[in-house]
Amino acid sequence: MADFGDLIGGAYRIRGLLGEGGTARVYLAKHEKNGKLHAIKEIPAKKAERAGMLAEIRLKEKLYHPALPHVWEAFEEKGAIYIVMDYVEGMDLGTFLRKHGAVSQEQAVEWMKQLCKALTYLHGFQPPVIYRDMKPSNIVLQKDGRIKLIDFGAICQKDRRGGTALALGTPGYAAPEQYGNRPRSDVRTDVYGLGMTFYFMLTGQDPGKPPHQIRRIREWNPRLSPVLERIVCKCTRKQPWRRFQTCADLLKALDDYTNT
């Protein structure tokens, strides 16, 4: 476990703790030579987990997109694996919405478009990369108005049968197929998480709070667009085949709404 002031990887000086959960901790660190700030994730290097963990790190190192933090390197030191990533400064969307409430339809649509483009990029890999944990607290609002997705601890690539087989996600935002005796995930799982995130943006009501049930958005605010209500409803259908089938399809619906 690293402490304030420690030098790790021969180049990164620990400046503070950004967060922790489960077995992982995330530190703020400064590169000794170029002065750049990084977020460094520390994970105990347990032998039983190491092979799969390094495979995930190699996957993350391939990602280059404006809405995704880049993974620069990974190394093992003193019984832990350290993943060096971009440090993303700003407030997470969940905190913002709980503090300020619903945002304008125009702002919500703009953020959704950015998210759709980021997920379309991930889904464009072969096999597709599934994010699996779309929620406001994993989205950071930057000072320039753009957003970034963070916390890639749940990403994976579809298996050869066309889905993932691990129950993982956040109640209220995770799609129904992520649970049960045979959990599965595919690109439509991310569409569901986007829909629930859009719901929070438009209504100020957090579906992550028990009992994890939602109402039509115009029941909260009748002034909201019926078109956006239909988009949210289609994203959050329980059956995957009734949703938008890709994030590109969702993006087109949002573009059509903007251009009307």
Side-chain angles (χ1 to χ4, degrees), residues 102-105 108 197-204 217 224 228 232:
V103 300
S104 70
Q105 294 179 125
T197 299
F198 199 20
Y199 179 91
F200 196 177
M201 292 182 196
L202 292 168
T203 67
I217 64 172
L224 290 171
L228 295 185
V232 172

Side-chain angles (χ1 to χ4, degrees), residues 159-221:
D159 63 28
R160 294 178 181 176
R161 294 166 296 174
T164 62
L166 178 64
L168 193 62
T170 299
Y173 294 94
E177 65 268 18
Q178 291 180 264
Y179 298 102
N181 294 329
R182 299 184 64 185
R184 308 288 289 169
S185 300
D186 61 26
V187 298
R188 297 169 298 182
T189 302
D190 285 341
V191 170
Y192 186 95
L194 277 173
M196 287 301 189
T197 299
F198 199 20
Y199 179 91
F200 196 177
M201 292 182 196
L202 292 168
T203 67
Q205 304 298 315
D206 185 359
K209 291 184 177 180
H212 310 303
Q213 295 178 345
I214 63 171
R215 295 152 54 183
R216 288 183 174 267
I217 64 172
R218 298 180 77 244
E219 291 184 34
W220 295 107
N221 181 358

Side-chain angles (χ1 to χ4, degrees), residues 108-231:
V109 168
E110 174 55 33
W111 285 339
M112 282 289 291
K113 287 182 177 182
Q114 293 182 47
L115 292 169
C116 284
K117 291 175 182 177
L119 288 176
T120 297
Y121 168 77
L122 292 177
H123 296 165
F125 281 81
Q126 293 299 324
V129 176
I130 314 301
Y131 185 73
R132 293 199 298 178
D133 199 19
M134 175 59 62
K135 58 183 177 181
S137 61
N138 281 345
I139 302 164
V140 172
L141 308 177
Q142 301 178 99
K143 292 181 180 179
D144 62 4
R146 294 183 298 173
I147 61 176
K148 273 190 186 287
L149 276 176
I150 60 171
D151 195 352
F152 280 68
I155 68 167
C156 68
Q157 288 186 287
K158 292 199 317 182
D159 63 28
R160 294 178 181 176
R161 294 166 296 174
T164 62
L166 178 64
L168 193 62
T170 299
Y173 294 94
E177 65 268 18
Q178 291 180 264
Y179 298 102
N181 294 329
R182 299 184 64 185
R184 308 288 289 169
S185 300
D186 61 26
V187 298
R188 297 169 298 182
T189 302
D190 285 341
V191 170
Y192 186 95
L194 277 173
M196 287 301 189
T197 299
F198 199 20
Y199 179 91
F200 196 177
M201 292 182 196
L202 292 168
T203 67
Q205 304 298 315
D206 185 359
K209 291 184 177 180
H212 310 303
Q213 295 178 345
I214 63 171
R215 295 152 54 183
R216 288 183 174 267
I217 64 172
R218 298 180 77 244
E219 291 184 34
W220 295 107
N221 181 358
R223 295 188 297 275
L224 290 171
S225 164
V227 176
L228 295 185
E229 181 171 82
R230 289 195 292 272
I231 289 174

Side-chain angles (χ1 to χ4, degrees), residues 20-60:
E20 59 183 317
T23 60
R25 308 181 103 208
V26 180
Y27 301 99
L28 176 65
K30 185 176 182 179
H31 195 284
E32 287 285 272
K33 291 185 178 180
N34 62 30
K36 185 177 180 179
L37 292 175
H38 292 275
I40 300 184
K41 191 170 187 177
E42 176 191 69
I43 309 169
K46 298 178 181 178
K47 293 181 180 180
E49 301 174 350
R50 191 174 302 168
M53 191 183 306
L54 293 179
E56 289 183 7
I57 292 169
R58 285 193 293 271
L59 169 60
K60 294 170 188 176

